Amino acid sequence: MHNKPLTQLADDLVTKRVSSVEVTQYFLSRIEQHGNLNAFITVDPDFSLAQAREADRRIQQGDRPALIGVPVAHKDIFCTKGMLTTCGSRILSNFVSPYDATVVDRLNQNGAVILGKTNMDEFAMGSSNETSYYGPVKNPWDNATVPGGSSGGSAASVAARIAPAATGTDTGGSIRQPAAFCGVTGFKPSYGQVSRYGMVAFASSLDQGGPITRSAEDAALLLNVIAGFDARDSTSVQRQTPDFVADLNGDIQGLRIGLPAQFFGEGLDSKVERVVREALQEYEKLGATLIDIDLPNSDLCVPCYYVLAPSEASSNLARYDGVRYGYRASDYSDLIDMYMKTRAEGFGDEVKRRIMIGTYALSAGYYDAYYLKAQQLRRLIAEDFERAFEQCDVIMGPTTPTTAFAIGAKTDDPIAMYLNDIYTISVNLAGLPGISIPAGLDGNGKPIGLQIIGQYFGDTHVLNAAHRFQMTTDWHQRAPSGVQQ
Amino acid sequence: MFNLNAGCVNLKNRGSNCCIQMALDHQTVINIARLARLHIDESDVDRYVSELSRILDFVEQMNGVDTEDVMPLAHPQEGRLRLRDDIVTETNQRESFQTVAPEQEAGLYLVPKVIE
Amino acid sequence: MNWEPVIGLEVHVQLLTSSKIFSGASTAFGADANTQACAVDIALPGVLPVMNEQVARMAVKFGLAVDAKINRRSVFARKNYFYPDLPKGYQISQYELPIVGEGRLTIDTDGGEKTIGITRAHLEEDAGKSLHEDFHGMTGIDLNRAGTPLIEIVSEPDMRSAKEAVAYLKKLHTLVRYLGICDGNMQEGSFRCDANVSVRPVGQQELGTRTEMKNINSFRFIERAIEYEIERQIDVLEDGGTVVQETRLYDPDKDETRPMRTKEEAHDYRYFPDPDLPPLELDDTLIEATRQTLPELPDTKQQRFMTQYALSGEDAAQLTVSKELADYFEAAASATKGDAKTVANWIAGDLSGYLNKENKEITASPVDAQQLALLIDRIHDNTISGKIAKEVFEAMWHGEGSADDIIDNKGLKQITDTGAIETIIDEVLARSAPQIEQYKNGQTKVFGYFVGQVMQATQGKANPQQVNEILKRKLDA
């Protein structure tokens, strides 16, 4: 059952070949079996099974919305009413949300069952899942390596087939990078495509929720439910939401694929490059043409991002002050001391580092040199993409410079960690849609991701290109050894 | 070209011929921590000085690009603000909200005494 | 040395919307603590702001009324600081690009009209309230007010005395109520003022060091706080000291200002554009539609009252202090056969007196404009005298009926029958031989005695003019 595509699972449920309670129970026990992965922060079988029973009741009554009865795991950044929402942080370790995020609400409305809340880097700040208060997640392909981050729990659970599908969020690569490391499909929609309401904010102008699934087709199925205008989010875009599933099958004959020189330069692991080049050859066989393009400013995306994201985060995380919800320190002398101890004890090292950087970058006298300068660079980076898309329809390259690295390998070197997102960050800065799909394995059997980037609101083109590749290859069906049991 | 291994080494060179030298000192770290309401043990200040300085050195690469006359881009989607009608849509949920409050009484959130 | 005070004001005006600026929670005053603080207002993780259109319209309305530049594009920024009544750890405000740019307001001073510059007016959200009553040594936080829309109106440092400052504030207060964008209730904090005060030697261009006084909530206190602060600064400077730039609190009980107790940290608000809110863009349609909703403004109304009703500038100013009062006047003036000046006198006199005594607004007056008009008609047609009218008004105030009912029920109708008055006068004269003697000897003051006697005999109802005429005729015969 755990290898079935989402479409088939949904079909089995609607045709009553299997009940939602059975499916949910099945995946709950798989989560338990693979508990060593530490992919989940919260699993609440009573909660999930109650939803499953409700789904079965709806199916009986002939009410059959798109994902009726299908269990979906949520990154623990999405607020879920009545279930713990920790964001991987001690400061929210006791926070039971009184409301549902729009993404969660839409999935609930469409009959999906919340399978649990997946582990993540604290406040989505990390590329390895090692900053979680709840401990690191292990990569199902090699338990000594990281699953990537920040949506590491979601990617690992889909890879290990302990969740049929999961939600994630991507601020600088947090869906695509773990998808690449875990050999699954991770899609970051265009900024404004998926509502941010109820998604704990990290860097508001960059954050975007999206699906982590085994295939582009599964991703499209999920997107059909979660994407679309939301009046509660002022940055939600008001335009006709496409039918992501219907648009999957378009012909890609003549598709112009841009290859940025900057994505194939120094620092790219040769095995990763070889696999990506092979994937590109596959595209040529499908009728696409490859075009060399230039994104001259993209090598500055990491420094630019590490000013903008921490700046926004320093402000977004100011609400965690121990007054209205969440953790409060127990020993303090006065109000300011309460704030300072609460936040010092509640946040982990990486979060504190970024709050400090952001606070500094926005402070008097430094704003122009850091924040404003980074915003100017952001425009240059976005304009590079605009120019590139005059020559090509989609851009392709590696998702990450290397395959999954060992747990602990980069924890002492923040900058080495940041550079993991070197190919993904510029996409967030420009607000574009991007996907990572499995493209092959390295010599050690570790997955390698191909990244496909589209134009603003060209989400369906990206999914279409990904789906055509998956129609003729089987990399996305490969599972880590050890998950079949 | 990306330089994955030694971001900072390069940057030192760039730093010398650009506008500001972004070195952090001990007192600045203490001030930022206070501004951000983060308690830092005195013994950790120097660790922060070196970690944050490294990151700032790294982001200093930005100064290698001339951005004069470039309009800052605050948001990927440069749209206009959508406005909602002036209608009360929310109802009282105090009880539900305050079940997760660290300390409350008589419907109020309690904090250590605020002095004006 | 002669000193010149320099005063600038920042006024926070709560906008009269139903819901908050960025959430759908109610703004009604006086609800139980935290019952009107929704998920957005208490800043739960993941919530987002969505702007209230009415707030933008009200700000535009204000901008148009003070002849200001309306910025077609304005930007919301985050002002970052920690305070328990500020749930997000930042206040959404406008910083570099406010919705309303430069404008002006004209005030009346002893030296004639004076124009006070308005630097800008920007939108922002209000904070909650800290309740300092003792909760076991802790402070209670009520977030009902958090997110209430405010427009902060910043003046140029154009005022030169406490009196001018108060004149500007009163003008502003009148204006925002005319526009229907604020209820002007100062006790409830709907209209709050921060004053920046400095002094400099007369003739000096450069400004002195200023102090700021926050949240003063009555015109009287503002005047006294500014006066106190001017004196204090002059004393400091004349003693060879320097004024410290600081925030001070005005204590009305001691009538003094003093520095705030908390050691103010160097504020660094780290403003940056709020990434949750794209820029606010206003099109001409919205601005023009808003212009159409502008009421007649106080200055225009005052001018019109002077020409249309032949009122003095002072009367017209007093009647146009609020739109409700002006409406009341116009309704009464157009309903009565009496003249407008009499209506103005009645409003300024007895009506205002009773309203003040019972602390009532004109809209809550038990005597409405039509009823007052009828009363004035009865003076006009000689049914009652002005003096009796006061008695009738008092009865009307206490709900005893219309002017006519009261005149009838109490038999207050004036005696205008010459024969009847003559009869009474004859009776009075018949028993007043000594007084007649005095009168004839040239003690004309005694005339008042006869009038008094006649009035006493008629319980004040005899037409005084007729009484005078007949008495004179008989005595001088």
Side-chain angles (χ1 to χ4, degrees), chain C residues 213-368:
Chain C
M213 284 167 294
K214 282 206 175 285
N215 279 338
I216 322 173
N217 66 356
S218 85
F219 293 125
R220 198 160 53 99
F221 292 162
I222 288 157
E223 187 162 7
R224 283 180 18 196
I226 294 174
E227 267 165 5
Y228 176 89
E229 189 55 21
I230 292 168
E231 287 307 311
R232 189 191 68 84
Q233 290 187 13
I234 292 173
D235 286 349
V236 167
L237 293 169
E238 289 191 336
D239 288 349
T242 49
V243 173
V244 181
Q245 181 161 350
E246 62 188 352
T247 304
R248 299 175 70 89
L249 288 177
Y250 175 69
D251 180 342
D253 297 329
K254 295 187 179 150
D255 189 23
E256 62 173 32
T257 68
R258 57 163 188 268
M260 284 179 75
R261 260 192 292 165
T262 35
K263 188 105 181 86
E264 249 187 299
E265 284 187 60
H267 281 302
D268 186 344
Y269 291 126
R270 291 157 286 139
Y271 281 100
F272 74 106
D274 192 330
D276 289 329
L277 295 162
L280 171 61
E281 285 177 20
L282 303 172
D283 51 31
D284 291 342
T285 323
L286 181 138
I287 294 172
E288 285 318 308
T290 307
R291 198 190 297 278
Q292 299 308 314
T293 67
L294 279 183
E296 183 182 32
L297 297 178
D299 285 350
T300 322
K301 205 184 272 286
Q302 189 183 336
Q303 285 303 320
R304 180 168 64 79
F305 278 16
M306 287 165 69
T307 48
Q308 185 177 340
Y309 299 107
L311 296 176
S312 68
E314 206 177 324
D315 281 345
Q318 217 170 2
L319 288 171
T320 51
V321 111
S322 82
K323 187 170 174 297
E324 292 75 18
L325 192 64
D327 288 349
Y328 187 100
F329 164 77
E330 288 209 272
S334 62
T336 183
K337 296 181 188 73
D339 63 11
K341 172 67 186 163
T342 310
V343 177
N345 289 346
W346 270 92
I347 291 175
D350 289 61
L351 178 61
S352 292
Y354 280 98
L355 289 171
N356 287 341
K357 203 165 77 186
E358 296 187 16
N359 204 10
K360 279 195 163 107
E361 295 293 321
I362 184 72
T363 45
S365 168
V367 178
D368 69 21

Side-chain angles (χ1 to χ4, degrees), chain A residues 79 95 98-99 196-199 204 231-234 315-316 318-320 324-325 336 339 343 359 362-364 367 371, chain C residues 42-50 78 80 82-84 87-90 143 265 268 270-273 275-276 278:
Chain A
C79 285
F95 178 67
Y99 78 105
R196 292 187 299 116
Y197 189 78
M199 199 174 99
S204 315
R232 287 185 181 272
D233 175 0
S234 300
S315 175
N316 280 334
R319 67 188 58 194
Y320 307 105
R324 297 163 314 284
Y325 48 79
I336 292 188
Y339 281 151
R343 291 165 59 79
T359 302
L362 291 174
S363 65
Y367 182 85
Y371 191 76
Chain C
I42 68 166
L44 285 179
V47 296
L48 295 169
V50 183
R78 294 184 181 179
N80 295 284
F82 286 88
Y83 206 76
K88 293 187 291 297
Y90 58 84
L143 298 174
E265 284 187 60
D268 186 344
R270 291 157 286 139
Y271 281 100
F272 74 106
D276 289 329

